[in-house]
Amino acid sequence: MSDQIFQAMRQSIIDGTPDKATELAREAVAIGLDPLEAVNLGFAAGIKFAGDQFGCGEMFLPDLLASAEAMKAAIKILEPEMLKRGSERETLGKIVLGTARGDIHDIGKNLVATILSASGFQIFDLGTSVTPEQFVAKAREVDADIVGISALLTTTMAGQKAVIDALDRSGLRPRVKAIIGGAAVTSKWAAEIGADGFSRNAIDALELARNLMGKGPASA
Ligand code: B1M
C-alpha cells in the first residue's frame, strides 16, 4: 500500500499536477502516514527526477515549474501535520533563514524551516533572494543564535560566503553561528567559506542546529 502511494506521489510531481499531489497528501494525512516519509519517499523523489530530466534536456522549464507547483501544493497540506507532531517540544533557539541573493529556489529551504520549527526552533524566514545586509539586520533585530543560508545554484553559492563575511564584519559572529545547505553545497565549500556547518537535508539540518546549540541528538 505504502509503495503504491509513494509511487503515485512521485508521479504527481513528475506530471506537474497540483490537484493530484494535494489529493495524495490529504490521503497520507488521513491514513496517518508520517508526513516526512511522504515527502522524502514520495514527493521529493518526483522533484529530483524532474530536476534530473531538466538537467539533461529531457524536460523544459514550464514543465519543471509545474512540478515545483505540485510539490508546493503537497507540502502545503503536509506542513501543518509536521508542525503538529512537533508542537509539544521545548524552544531550542532562534534561527534566521533565507535563500541567498539571486536564488529563488525555496522548496528545500521551506522544508528545513518546517522541520526546525516543528522541532522547537523559532524560525524567522526571510524568503528568497535575500541580501547579506538583510540577513545581518534580521539576526541583530531578533538576537538570533543561528543564521541559515540556502543556495541551489552554483552561481548563488557565492552569496552564502557574502552573508558569512557580512556577519563577521558586523561583529555578530562568532556568537551567531552560520550554517549552509542546498543541492550543490559540500563540506569542502562549507570549510572554505568558514561556515559553522552544512547539511545535506532537513533532518541533518536539525541535528546540526541542535549540536550548535549544545543539545544532544533529537529523540525521534
Ligand atoms: Co532550478 N535548478 N532553476 N528551479 N531546480 C536546479 C537547482 C538544477 C540543479 C536543475 C538542473 O539543471 N538539473 C539547476 C542548477 C544548476 C547549478 O547551478 N548547478 C537549476 C537551474 C539551472 C535553474 C534556473 C537557472 C533555470 C532557468 O531559468 N534556466 C532557474 C534559476 C532561478 C533562480 O533561482 N534565479 C531555476 C528555476 C527553478 C524553478 C522556479 C522552476 C523551480 C524552483 C521552485 C521553487 O523552489 N519555488 C526549480 C526547481 C524545482 C529545481 C530542482 C528540480 C529541484 C529543487 C528542489 O526543490 N528540490 C533542482 C534540481 C535538483 O535539486 N535536483 C533545480 C527538492 C528539495 C526538497 O530539495 O532544494 O535540495 P533541496 O533541499 C534539500 C537539501 O538541499 C537541504 O535540505 C533540503 C530538504 O531536505 N537544504 C538545506 C536546502 N537548503 C538548506 C539549507 C540548510 C540546510 C540544508 O541550512 C541553512
Side-chain angles (χ1 to χ4, degrees):
M1 168 63 190
S2 291
D3 280 355
Q4 264 173 350
I5 196 170
F6 291 143
Q7 178 54 32
M9 287 167 171
R10 179 178 178 273
Q11 198 59 45
S12 72
I13 303 301
I14 296 168
D15 294 343
T17 47
D19 289 351
K20 186 71 190 167
T22 299
E23 183 192 318
L24 289 162
R26 288 208 172 107
E27 191 182 332
V29 174
I31 63 174
L33 206 64
D34 181 339
L36 201 55
E37 254 188 26
V39 171
N40 287 337
L41 302 179
F43 298 115
I47 197 80
K48 185 171 182 323
F49 182 82
D52 291 345
Q53 293 291 97
F54 175 73
C56 64
E58 295 287 325
M59 190 186 249
F60 298 109
L61 194 57
D63 301 318
L64 185 61
L65 267 170
S67 292
E69 285 309 314
M71 181 85 189
K72 285 196 150 192
I75 288 178
K76 194 170 159 202
I77 302 296
L78 296 171
E79 189 175 31
E81 201 55 31
M82 291 189 219
L83 292 173
K84 213 191 297 171
R85 290 184 180 221
S87 61
E88 301 301 318
R89 312 228 175 121
E90 60 188 311
T91 297
L92 295 175
K94 295 180 199 165
I95 304 185
V96 170
L97 204 59
T99 306
R101 180 170 50 195
D103 200 322
I104 61 162
H105 293 87
D106 66 356
I107 295 173
K109 184 263 299 165
N110 292 347
L111 211 50
V112 170
T114 302
I115 299 298
L116 289 171
S117 174
S119 307
F121 282 94
Q122 200 179 346
I123 302 298
F124 300 88
D125 189 345
L126 295 175
T128 57
S129 195
V130 184
T131 65
E133 294 74 23
Q134 289 170 314
F135 274 107
V136 170
K138 196 68 183 176
R140 203 190 293 282
E141 178 196 324
V142 303
D143 190 24
D145 299 294
I146 298 174
V147 167
I149 318 122
S150 178
L152 267 282
L153 301 169
T154 37
T155 48
T156 56
M157 282 163 61
Q160 295 177 317
K161 179 177 184 320
V163 175
I164 292 176
D165 290 347
L167 285 169
D168 283 337
R169 279 196 307 274
S170 72
L172 289 174
R173 283 228 305 169
R175 193 193 65 73
V176 178
K177 307 295 178 207
I179 65 171
I180 60 170
V185 172
T186 60
S187 56
K188 185 168 174 279
W189 172 245
E192 214 172 299
I193 66 173
D196 296 296
F198 105 104
S199 69
R200 288 194 191 287
N201 57 50
I203 296 298
D204 290 354
L206 172 61
E207 291 309 317
L208 173 62
R210 285 185 65 94
N211 284 337
L212 288 172
M213 295 304 295
K215 308 279 176 184
S219 52

